């Protein structure tokens, strides 16, 4: 009964603030035959709906649940309009859903649109999400290496960008070890200045979290500096962003490294208390020092 009444008005309901939910529910729970018939109503309107605030939700739901032949037919209507959708606040969600739910061989036209545009898209508020979906779902080795080469070719710039940093973080977290190494090597030598930047500091934290022991050592050495004054570390501890990186170092490094860094920090504790951001470190260090002393006390045969 419900279906009979809704069907003649289906298209209008798809772009309605409330009606779109009812159509979505039909895609989820309708009979297979009803779902197919409803999907047929979308043909010829996929682009318009994708760019519309409520219609884009219906399209996303349809891409999730309809039969493969209908998915493919729907997605083909976006051919030639991919970039327009990616840059659109509604359409970008549809493109993301295509990458997630449609087999790779059927969305090649989407993927190839991004070739030579990866860096530009990575620095775009919606494009950066789409690039992350490509990295997650496109397993074709040619696609992977093409996209990855473009990202790795501009790592320093992307790391400092308000959107690009998310793409670099994504590679550090989910990429292959050699890709992670390339990023860390590229950022090495700039770690201290990167840590003092709002966006890049998050990337440095991810390097510490996901890098291997040797890579972490490389970064820590750079923060400690080459002289006994350990100026880089001092500057970082007082900085509004870099202080979090120092905290991440203390959290991720091995015990031996931690003892060394703590001994370097202890010297500056009183001075740090004067700085707004230094206080975070002081609290973290005092906790770690106490824990370290308890550990040492527990290991020593004679009571102190």
């Amino acid at each position: 009964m419900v279906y009979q009444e809704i069907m003649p008005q289906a298209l209008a309901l798809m772009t309605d603030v409330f009606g779109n939910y009812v159509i979505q529910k039909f895609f989820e729970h309708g009979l297979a035959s009803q779902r197919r018939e409803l999907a047929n109503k979308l043909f010829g309107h996929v682009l318009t709906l994708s760019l519309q605030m409520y219609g884009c939700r219906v399209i996303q739901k349809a891409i999730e649940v309809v039969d493969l032949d209908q998915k493919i037919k729907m997605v083909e209507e976006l051919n030639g309009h991919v970039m327009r959708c990616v840059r659109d606040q509604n359409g970008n969600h549809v493109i993301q859903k295509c990458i997630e739910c449609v087999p790779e061989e059927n969305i090649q036209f989407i993927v190839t649109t991004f070739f030579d545009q990866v860096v530009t898209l990575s620095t775009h508020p919606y494009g950066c999400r789409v690039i992350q979906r490509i990295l997650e779902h496109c397993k074709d080795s040619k696609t992977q290496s093409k996209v990855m080469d473009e990202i790795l070719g501009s790592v320093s710039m992307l790391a400092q960008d308000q959107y690009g940093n998310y793409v670099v973080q994504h590679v550090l977290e989910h990429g292959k070890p050699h890709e992670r190494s390339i990023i860390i090597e590229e950022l090495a030598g700039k770690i201290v200045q990167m840590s003092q930047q709002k966006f890049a500091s998050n990337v440095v934290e991810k390097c510490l979290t996901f890098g291997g022991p040797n890579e972490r050592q490389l970064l820590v050495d750079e923060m400690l500096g080459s002289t006994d004054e350990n100026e880089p570390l001092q500057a970082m501890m007082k900085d509004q962003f870099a202080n979090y990186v120092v905290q991440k170092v203390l959290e991720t490094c091995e015990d031996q490294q931690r003892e060394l860094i703590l001994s370097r920090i202890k010297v500056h504790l009183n001075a740090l208390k004067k700085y707004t951001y230094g206080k975070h470190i002081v609290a973290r260090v005092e906790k770690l020092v106490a824990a370290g002393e308890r550990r040492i006390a527990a290991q020593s045969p004679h009571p102190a």
Side-chain angles (χ1 to χ4, degrees):
M1 281 164 58
V2 177
Y3 185 69
Q4 295 306 326
E5 284 190 40
I6 281 176
M7 210 44 195
Q9 304 299 321
L11 211 52
L13 288 170
M14 288 175 194
T15 56
D16 181 81
V17 53
F18 306 117
N20 80 87
Y21 292 110
V22 176
I23 300 290
Q24 284 185 62
K25 279 288 174 258
F26 252 117
F27 272 120
E28 272 179 68
H29 305 289
L31 304 171
S33 59
Q34 291 173 337
R35 195 183 292 152
R36 277 197 79 82
E37 199 181 336
L38 200 52
N40 283 335
K41 289 257 184 189
L42 299 172
F43 298 141
H45 305 283
V46 175
L47 180 63
T48 330
L49 289 167
S50 296
L51 297 171
Q52 204 271 341
M53 193 173 181
Y54 307 115
C56 77
R57 298 176 192 179
V58 173
I59 295 291
Q60 286 173 76
K61 180 58 72 186
I63 289 170
E64 270 176 36
V65 301
V66 301
D67 298 333
L68 183 59
D69 64 318
Q70 289 190 309
K71 280 185 201 196
I72 293 168
K73 199 170 163 190
M74 282 174 65
V75 171
E76 275 167 2
E77 291 191 25
L78 300 177
N79 203 339
H81 308 283
V82 173
M83 277 305 193
R84 183 178 168 194
C85 289
V86 170
R87 294 202 172 99
D88 181 83
Q89 58 177 344
N90 305 312
N92 84 87
H93 294 288
V94 172
I95 298 292
Q96 287 183 66
K97 192 60 81 179
C98 293
I99 297 166
E100 284 168 33
C101 300
V102 184
E104 214 173 325
E105 60 268 22
N106 302 117
I107 54 162
Q108 271 313 296
F109 70 90
I110 293 181
V111 178
T112 52
T113 306
F114 302 149
F115 290 169
D116 302 324
Q117 299 286 326
V118 173
V119 176
T120 315
L121 285 171
S122 297
T123 57
H124 185 276
Y126 311 136
C128 72
R129 300 178 198 162
V130 172
I131 296 299
Q132 288 174 68
R133 295 301 86 74
I134 291 273
L135 293 173
E136 283 164 5
H137 298 279
C138 294
K139 298 301 174 222
D140 177 72
S141 56
K142 274 217 298 288
T143 299
Q144 276 282 339
S145 68
K146 182 94 177 75
V147 171
M148 200 53 81
D149 287 350
E150 291 184 47
I151 293 170
L152 296 177
S154 301
V155 165
S156 293
M157 183 275 276
L158 289 174
Q160 296 171 71
D161 182 81
Q162 59 175 331
Y163 303 112
N165 79 88
Y166 294 113
V167 174
V168 180
Q169 287 187 60
H170 192 279
V171 178
L172 286 166
E173 208 166 319
H174 306 286
K176 302 178 182 71
H178 77 272
E179 293 161 353
R180 207 165 27 238
S181 302
I182 292 172
I183 293 176
I184 293 175
E185 275 166 36
E186 177 59 41
L187 300 182
K190 303 184 258 232
I191 289 301
V192 180
Q193 68 193 70
M194 290 274 187
S195 299
Q196 292 170 330
Q197 294 180 14
K198 183 175 182 180
F199 306 114
S201 64
N202 295 314
V203 174
V204 178
E205 285 191 44
K206 282 282 196 303
C207 291
L208 289 163
T209 307
F210 296 101
N214 295 346
E215 295 171 325
R216 209 174 286 137
Q217 182 72 52
L218 183 76
L219 302 181
V220 169
D221 288 347
E222 197 175 318
M223 293 174 197
L224 291 174
S226 48
T227 61
D228 286 343
E229 277 73 56
N230 34 316
E231 295 98 353
L233 194 63
Q234 272 196 72
M236 287 174 72
M237 290 189 292
K238 295 169 190 170
D239 183 83
Q240 59 172 327
F241 304 118
N243 83 83
Y244 292 108
V245 175
V246 179
Q247 291 183 57
K248 184 61 79 179
V249 169
L250 292 170
E251 199 183 295
T252 54
C253 64
E254 283 136 23
D255 288 349
Q256 232 173 338
Q257 253 180 342
R258 190 178 295 117
E259 296 308 321
L260 168 68
I261 296 167
L262 285 174
S263 68
R264 296 282 192 92
I265 294 178
K266 268 188 216 173
V267 189
H268 307 290
L269 273 190
N270 284 330
L272 280 172
K273 288 178 180 167
K274 297 192 194 74
Y275 291 91
T276 318
Y277 303 108
K279 288 177 195 146
H280 299 312
I281 292 279
V282 174
R284 175 69 67 101
V285 168
E286 285 173 344
K287 226 155 104 183
L288 285 167
V289 170
E293 281 163 3
R294 280 200 301 278
R295 247 200 331 273
I296 293 161
Q299 288 161 356
S300 71
H302 309 293

